[in-house]
């Protein structure tokens, strides 16, 4: 059984066909074909970039932030490859009131700074980075990280937040067998000297 075809539908199709026949596209290329010869120059390649931790390269450059640790006995350890992150939480007590939306906030104090540091350790022999595992440097670093007392710390970054002492909470290291670069993650909290006065005497 044949269905009747709408005359308006046929008229619309004919109008669309006529409109498409009037379309004229401009030529896609008006000049010469593109050249893959690099305009007369050879294609050059570059090696994959690697972090530069040799301090002599960074002398006079404001790129790396040297971190210095000092124990109570005066021993110091200077780390040239260190990146720190800090965060701080304020202690605020919120009290709800009956018949009122929201809470009353009472500021108590500012908590300790949480300090997370990632350091890179490399083997130095005679002041030159060598292709050896930095076992001696790692032992030296662990001596400071195992200190059971606060460590004095200084870096231009930590000085912005007035962090001068830290207490080591934990540290971790994963062996990297593909290179002589050993990364160590350190978790610490800030420590400050307090003076407590008594008026009972």
């Amino acid at each position: 059984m044949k269905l009747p075809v709408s005359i308006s539908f046929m008229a619309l199709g004919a109008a669309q066909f006529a409109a498409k026949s009037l379309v004229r596209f401009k030529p896609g290329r008006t000049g010469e074909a593109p050249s893959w010869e690099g305009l007369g120059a050879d294609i050059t390649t570059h090696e994959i970039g690697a972090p530069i931790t040799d301090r002599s390269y960074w002398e006079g450059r404001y790129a790396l932030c040297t971190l210095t640790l000092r124990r109570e006995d005066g021993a110091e350890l200077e780390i040239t490859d260190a990146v720190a992150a800090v965060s701080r939480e304020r202690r605020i007590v919120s009290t709800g009131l009956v018949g009122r939306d929201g809470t009353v906030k009472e500021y108590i104090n500012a908590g300790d700074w949480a300090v997370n540091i990632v350091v890179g350790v490399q083997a130095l022999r005679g002041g030159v980075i060598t292709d050896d595992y930095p076992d001696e440097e790692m032992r030296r670093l662990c001596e400071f990280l195992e200190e059971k007392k606060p460590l004095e710390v200084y870096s231009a970054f930590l000085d912005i937040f007035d962090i001068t002492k830290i207490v080591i909470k934990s540290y971790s290291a994963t062996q990297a067998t593909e290179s002589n670069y050993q990364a160590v993650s350190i978790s610490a909290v800030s420590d400050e000297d307090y003076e407590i006065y008594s008026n009972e005497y």
Side-chain angles (χ1 to χ4, degrees), residues 4-18:
V5 180
S6 174
I7 297 177
S8 60
F9 179 76
M10 292 180 60
L12 178 63
Q16 289 180 348
F17 178 79

Side-chain angles (χ1 to χ4, degrees), residues 127-144:
V128 179
I129 297 177
T130 61
D131 193 15
D132 300 309
Y133 183 77
D135 51 351
E136 297 179 9
E137 289 75 12
M138 282 295 296
R139 289 190 180 93
R140 177 68 171 165
L141 176 61
C142 289
E143 290 178 2
F144 280 79

Side-chain angles (χ1 to χ4, degrees), residues 70-72 142-151 166-169 171 191:
R70 183 183 297 111
R71 298 189 307 204
E72 285 188 357
C142 289
E143 290 178 2
F144 280 79
L145 299 181
E146 289 292 338
E147 186 75 11
K148 295 178 175 61
K149 297 179 181 179
L151 294 172
I166 59 173
V167 176
I168 305 299
K169 293 178 58 179
Y171 63 94
D191 188 39

